[in-house]
Amino acid sequence: MSSRVSNPLPSYRRSAQQNTFTSSAPSGISHQIMPALINQTRKGQKTLLGDAISLGKIKACLGWNVKNPACDVDVSAFLLGRDGKVSGDDWFVFYGQKESPDCSVIFSDRENTDRESVAIDLSRLNPSITRIVFVLTINDAFSKRLNFGMIEDAYVRILDAASDRELVSFVMDEYYSNVISMMIGEVYLHNGNWKFNAIGNGVAKDLEGLCGLYGVQVKQT
């Protein structure tokens, strides 16, 4: 059962994206040049990555651009068991909790080519974890009336961490004005092999709402 913890979310709010990119966009908008995406898949497709031994370490790299400069997008990764829930409140990583309890999953917002990334060491991953979902969330979307119709060029690419070779990538082509968090993709274990699923679906929930969706109990302070 998930234990209750003090709310970690407000204390880690960021005022703006920390990364900067070459911009040809309108004033006030930081524009990211999308990297070359080699092995693109489509929404709903599932791609074999390999077994944990042959894969070793992988890296999920994510990027996006915004049409509205008020949009501050964050990445989070939820580490789920077979029931689709976290096994404890610290089994998700984001800018306020950058490492999983088993030290197998590490969040980084200090990327050059991409905006943010999640490094995964499959050899150290707790055996109870069978799915890792990558989510993009617009910070303060409710109060600022922001939504994913104001986002573009959102992508995720899964790399072999040792060689930086792209295993698979997915670029979203559907953006919804009624959602503020987007489950862009996931890696999951199936019959001893890890696969990537291009999801591309969203919900009208902020990060706190996502925590509730995946079983993280946030205690308000």
Side-chain angles (χ1 to χ4, degrees):
M1 180 180 295
S2 179
S3 59
R4 295 187 67 83
V5 295
S6 297
N7 188 349
L9 306 180
S11 62
Y12 290 106
R13 291 296 186 201
R14 296 184 302 173
S15 60
Q17 284 295 135
Q18 296 178 6
N19 301 49
T20 57
F21 300 86
T22 302
S23 177
S24 59
S27 177
I29 297 180
S30 176
H31 183 79
Q32 177 198 30
I33 299 174
M34 187 181 297
L37 301 176
I38 303 169
N39 300 310
Q40 290 192 42
T41 187
R42 292 181 296 177
K43 179 177 177 177
Q45 287 189 326
K46 298 173 175 61
T47 303
L48 176 65
L49 300 176
D51 63 84
I53 296 176
S54 62
L55 284 173
K57 298 179 181 180
I58 59 175
K59 192 174 183 181
C61 301
L62 300 99
W64 57 86
N65 283 309
V66 301
K67 301 176 185 177
N68 184 334
C71 290
D72 177 21
V73 181
D74 295 306
V75 172
S76 54
F78 290 84
L79 286 65
L80 310 177
R82 295 188 182 279
D83 61 354
K85 303 291 184 180
V86 296
S87 59
D89 294 318
D90 48 358
W91 285 95
F92 80 106
V93 300
F94 68 120
Y95 56 83
Q97 185 166 270
K98 294 190 174 183
E99 192 169 302
S100 63
D102 59 1
C103 302
S104 66
V105 180
I106 300 173
F107 167 88
S108 176
D109 55 7
R110 299 293 184 182
E111 293 296 314
N112 294 320
T113 304
D114 311 280
R115 292 201 184 257
E116 298 180 356
S117 69
V118 179
I120 304 165
D121 186 345
L122 294 171
S123 67
R124 301 183 65 175
L125 186 65
N126 189 295
S128 67
I129 305 301
T130 60
R131 187 178 302 268
I132 302 174
V133 181
F134 308 108
V135 185
L136 302 176
T137 300
I138 303 175
N139 187 26
D140 292 331
F142 287 131
S143 62
K144 295 180 180 179
R145 298 184 178 181
L146 306 172
N147 60 72
F148 258 83
M150 304 171 184
I151 307 297
E152 60 185 356
D153 303 331
Y155 71 87
V156 57
R157 57 188 187 129
I158 307 297
L159 308 182
D160 176 272
S163 64
D164 276 344
R165 177 175 61 90
E166 181 191 299
L167 302 175
V168 65
S169 58
F170 169 56
V171 182
M172 283 178 46
D173 59 7
E174 296 177 328
Y175 297 86
Y176 308 98
S177 59
N178 62 337
V179 304
I180 62 173
S181 292
M182 185 68 63
M183 292 78 162
I184 191 169
E186 65 181 359
V187 293
Y188 67 100
L189 188 63
H190 179 72
N191 292 336
N193 287 309
W194 286 92
K195 293 186 173 183
F196 172 77
N197 179 23
I199 302 177
N201 290 324
V203 292
K205 295 180 182 292
D206 57 12
L207 184 54
E208 186 175 331
L210 286 170
C211 286
L213 181 67
Y214 290 120
V216 179
Q217 298 186 42
V218 178
K219 182 180 179 181
Q220 296 293 337
T221 56

